[in-house]
């Protein structure tokens, strides 16, 4: 399950790249130990993201941290797909908005709750953008809430696939809660270089 499209091309802004001060890593657990790492997909996701960012005016990638997490290590209870990239990003707001456009561009995927910006408590000015997509898999519609962030050194997205994803009403998804969870995931994955 791919999280979000990372298109890193467009008009070139003035100025250089920010200094690299932070990187991302995959902890064994996330969100106060509620979710356990089930699979590290950094290598498979990393190659695709590095290829996509090659020659980009607005991003210099340092690495990828991507994984599947499940509540208490039980995938039957749902999955969080966390995809993170670290490096240097010239225009975080533009990159975040462009990244979230990719959430509804996959085959059989449609954005059904438009992107909305959040600044949960403790965000220190970091904007978390969230939306809800639906994807049709084998004739069944699945609801997939997605949140993402971009700062000068890290970019990430969180896709929540619950056990009720096939029956969830997209308009009932608590994006405020997922935005706060995404901010916490960012803080748990982001470390000084």
């Amino acid at each position: 399950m791919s999280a979000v499209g990372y298109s890193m091309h467009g008009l070139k802004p003035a100025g250089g790249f920010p200094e690299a001060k932070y990187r991302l890593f995959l902890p064994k657990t996330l969100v106060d130990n509620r979710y356990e790492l089930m699979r590290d997909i950094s290598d498979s996701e990393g190659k695709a993201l590095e290829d996509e960012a090659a020659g980009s005016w607005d991003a210099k990638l340092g690495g990828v941290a991507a994984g599947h997490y499940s509540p208490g290590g039980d995938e039957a209870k749902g999955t969080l797909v966390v995809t993170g990239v670290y490096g240097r990003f010239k225009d975080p707001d533009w990159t975040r908005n462009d990244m979230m456009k990719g959430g509804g561009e996959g085959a059989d995927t449609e954005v059904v709750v438009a992107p909305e910006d959040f600044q949960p408590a403790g965000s220190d000015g970091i904007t978390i953008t969230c939306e809800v997509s639906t994807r049709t898999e084998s004739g069944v519609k699945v609801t997939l809430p997605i949140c993402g962030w971009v700062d000068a050194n890290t970019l990430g997205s969180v896709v929540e696939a619950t056990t009720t994803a096939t029956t969830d009403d997209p308009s009932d998804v608590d994006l405020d809660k997922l935005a706060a969870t995404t901010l916490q995931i960012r803080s748990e994955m982001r470390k000084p270089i």
Side-chain angles (χ1 to χ4, degrees), residues 94-145:
W94 182 90
T95 302
R96 186 187 69 257
N97 290 329
D98 195 55
M99 173 181 79
M100 294 307 290
K101 287 179 191 174
E105 292 178 352
D108 300 318
T109 303
E110 175 185 8
V111 174
V112 292
V113 176
E116 184 178 347
D117 291 341
F118 297 87
Q119 289 194 333
S123 65
D124 292 327
I126 295 297
T127 298
I128 308 290
T129 301
C130 300
E131 66 188 29
V132 181
S133 295
T134 58
R135 180 169 44 205
T136 304
E137 299 175 355
S138 303
V140 177
K141 193 170 279 192
V142 178
T143 298
L144 296 171

Side-chain angles (χ1 to χ4, degrees), residues 76-190:
K77 293 182 179 177
T79 304
L80 280 180
V81 180
V82 179
T83 305
V85 176
Y86 58 93
R88 299 183 296 158
F89 302 96
K90 276 189 182 184
D91 190 340
D93 289 334
W94 182 90
T95 302
R96 186 187 69 257
N97 290 329
D98 195 55
M99 173 181 79
M100 294 307 290
K101 287 179 191 174
E105 292 178 352
D108 300 318
T109 303
E110 175 185 8
V111 174
V112 292
V113 176
E116 184 178 347
D117 291 341
F118 297 87
Q119 289 194 333
S123 65
D124 292 327
I126 295 297
T127 298
I128 308 290
T129 301
C130 300
E131 66 188 29
V132 181
S133 295
T134 58
R135 180 169 44 205
T136 304
E137 299 175 355
S138 303
V140 177
K141 193 170 279 192
V142 178
T143 298
L144 296 171
I146 304 167
C147 289
W149 82 86
V150 181
D151 59 45
N153 289 158
T154 67
L155 170 155
S157 66
V158 175
V159 178
E160 182 179 46
T162 66
T163 54
T164 59
T166 57
T167 56
D168 288 342
D169 181 336
S171 63
D172 289 340
V173 173
D174 187 346
L175 290 180
D176 284 300
K177 181 179 176 186
L178 186 57
T181 298
T182 299
L183 181 66
Q184 183 170 349
I185 288 170
R186 173 185 176 266
S187 71
E188 292 176 6
M189 290 179 67
R190 186 173 172 265

